[in-house]
């Protein structure tokens, strides 16, 4: 957890990943050697302007070791003092089976796949042990292998008061179109293979930048429009419930009035502790904001982590 980060101003924000794989049924993690610091560490780096921490984690792993990762469960963030003040590093698990590690040769000159026990011995910064230990605990509980179910509220639309045509045709505002591009960048951190969206224009326009970039399967579902969800809430909930049965990484984009129905379904699939992390008051999510639920691949329908991120809004 962040510990003192809530009481002391954070000078540096960074993000990275504990890359993991299974070799002959045994868990292995990836360590990197940084010649500048002469240390063994986990892939990570400082956040760029206009970047969310999930985007930073994916980018840093790609730049340092040449792997395109998809984020798994969040791991404990760590904090320590650097010359400029308090540094906080956010970590995620990232499954990396059958990949070739290619150190960039500048920031990273060596890498090592090793057991978690060996990693705990080798890491130079003692703080790096905490995310590795959390990864091992999740592995032992069969909650490390997961898939994401992502709930997205559509980006900022033109005001209802200024729109005289059909409600389903009300489009995104100019700021909403920029938000949609930011939503696309954010979604790429988890790379959902399916996108389920209300067919109303503002939802479709929100997901289209991601659809065009990543080419996921897109399904438009009338049941999660504002009007249909209000008339038949059970049917809207059924759309979300079906996503658990499909067990495929998915992003669902809908409207603010529909969010309580979706959240009700999500709560049924998680512990009370996690359910308490979900928003409970209107508007639930800001335009372009997302909730990421990681669902266990082993324990069917069981959500093991909940995160909430707002796409960067310029």
């Amino acid at each position: 957890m962040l510990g003192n980060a809530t009481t002391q101003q954070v000078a540096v924000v960074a993000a990275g990943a504990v890359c993991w794989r299974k070799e002959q049924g045994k868990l292995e993690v990836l360590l990197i050697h940084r010649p500048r610091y002469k240390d063994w560490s986990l892939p990570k780096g400082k956040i760029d302007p206009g970047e969310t921490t999930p985007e930073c984690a994916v980018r840093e792993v790609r730049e340092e070791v040449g792997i395109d990762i998809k984020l798994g469960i969040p791991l404990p963030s760590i904090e320590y003092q650097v010359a400029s003040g308090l540094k906080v590093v956010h970590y995620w698990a990232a499954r990396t089976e059958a990949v070739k590690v290619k150190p960039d040769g500048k920031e990273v000159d060596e890498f090592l796949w090793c057991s978690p026990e060996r990693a705990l011995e080798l890491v130079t910064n003692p703080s790096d042990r905490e995310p590795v230990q959390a990864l091992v605990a999740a592995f032992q509980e069969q909650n490390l292998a997961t898939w994401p179910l992502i709930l997205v509220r559509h980006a900022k639309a033109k005001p209802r008061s200024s729109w005289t045509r059909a409600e389903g045709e009300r489009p995104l505002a100019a700021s909403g179109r920029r938000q949609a591009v930011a939503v696309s960048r954010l979604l790429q951190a988890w790379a959902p293979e399916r996108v389920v969206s209300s067919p109303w224009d503002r939802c479709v326009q929100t997901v289209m930048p991601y659809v065009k970039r990543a080419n996921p399967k897109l399904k438009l579902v009338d049941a999660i429009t504002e009007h249909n969800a209000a008339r038949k809430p059970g049917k809207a909930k059924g759309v979300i419930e079906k996503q658990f049965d499909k067990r495929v990484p998915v992003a669902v984009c809908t409207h603010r009035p529909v969010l309580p129905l979706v959240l009700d379904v999500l709560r049924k699939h998680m512990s009370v502790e996690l359910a308490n992390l979900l928003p409970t008051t209107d508007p639930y999510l800001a335009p372009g904001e997302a909730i990421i639920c990681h669902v266990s691949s082993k324990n069917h329908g069981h959500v093991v982590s909940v995160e909430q991120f707002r796409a960067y809004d310029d």
Side-chain angles (χ1 to χ4, degrees):
M1 297 299 177
L2 294 186
N4 295 333
T6 56
T7 58
Q8 182 178 353
Q9 186 174 1
V10 176
V12 180
V13 177
V18 182
C19 299
W20 66 276
R21 69 182 187 183
K22 286 175 65 176
E23 284 291 305
Q24 298 181 342
K26 294 184 178 180
L27 181 65
E28 291 186 343
V29 299
L30 178 67
L31 294 185
I32 60 169
H33 184 265
R34 302 184 299 175
R36 178 182 176 185
Y37 301 103
K38 298 181 181 179
D39 69 353
W40 285 98
S41 182
L42 301 166
K44 64 178 180 293
K46 290 187 288 187
I47 194 169
D48 282 346
E51 188 177 51
T52 61
T53 50
E55 294 169 59
C56 174
V58 172
R59 175 184 56 76
E60 285 291 341
V61 173
R62 182 190 306 117
E63 290 178 357
E64 291 190 345
V65 294
I67 301 175
D68 286 315
I69 62 169
K70 301 175 184 178
L71 297 185
I73 61 171
L75 299 172
S77 301
I78 66 171
E79 62 179 46
Y80 51 93
Q81 293 292 332
V82 294
S84 57
L86 183 69
K87 180 174 182 177
V88 176
V89 186
H90 301 273
Y91 279 111
W92 285 263
R95 188 168 190 169
T96 50
E97 305 285 357
V99 298
K100 186 175 182 180
V101 181
K102 299 177 182 178
D104 68 350
K106 184 178 179 181
E107 292 189 46
V108 178
D109 61 352
E110 295 181 62
F111 70 92
L112 176 67
W113 284 107
C114 63
S115 69
E117 294 77 16
R118 182 62 173 151
L120 293 174
E121 294 174 354
L122 286 175
V123 289
T124 304
N125 186 340
S127 298
D128 282 339
R129 294 172 184 161
E130 189 174 359
V132 174
Q133 290 167 334
L135 183 117
V136 172
F139 179 74
Q140 293 172 341
E141 295 166 3
Q142 295 191 323
N143 288 332
L144 185 54
T146 61
W147 57 271
L149 191 163
I150 304 169
L151 171 61
V152 182
R153 180 184 171 186
H154 68 71
K156 186 173 179 59
K158 289 189 174 181
R160 294 178 193 266
S161 59
S162 65
W163 189 252
T164 58
R165 293 160 58 184
E167 181 63 12
E169 297 176 1
R170 183 158 62 92
L172 295 182
S175 60
R177 292 195 295 271
R178 294 193 298 270
Q179 279 182 338
V181 175
V183 168
S184 173
R185 293 195 301 267
L186 182 64
L187 289 178
Q188 287 167 49
W190 296 276
E193 300 168 18
R194 299 178 69 246
V195 173
V196 175
S197 174
S198 160
W200 286 9
D201 285 0
R202 52 192 179 273
C203 285
V204 175
Q205 291 172 359
T206 297
V207 299
M208 281 311 295
Y210 177 73
V211 171
K212 290 179 179 179
R213 182 180 180 92
N215 196 33
K217 181 179 179 181
L218 173 63
K219 185 173 183 179
L220 304 181
V221 181
D222 288 325
I224 57 174
T225 64
E226 286 187 31
H227 289 173
N228 287 341
R231 288 198 297 264
K232 297 182 179 179
K235 195 168 183 180
K237 289 184 175 182
V239 171
I240 308 306
E241 195 64 52
K242 286 179 182 178
Q243 307 313 313
F244 285 95
D245 294 331
K246 290 183 179 295
R247 308 187 193 193
V248 175
V250 62
V252 178
C253 184
T254 189
H255 311 262
R256 178 191 56 78
V258 186
L259 294 178
L261 300 176
V262 180
L263 293 170
D264 283 347
V265 176
L266 296 180
R267 288 188 185 94
K268 295 178 181 178
H269 288 268
M270 63 183 67
S271 67
V272 174
E273 181 183 14
L274 288 180
N276 287 337
L277 299 178
L278 296 176
T280 57
T281 56
D282 196 5
Y284 307 101
L285 295 174
E289 194 168 17
I291 291 173
I292 297 87
C293 295
H294 267 278
V295 188
S296 173
S297 298
K298 296 288 186 179
N299 302 316
H300 175 55
H302 179 55
V303 174
V304 300
S305 71
V306 171
E307 302 175 273
Q308 189 169 326
F309 292 100
R310 186 180 300 188
Y312 181 78
D313 189 353
D314 62 357

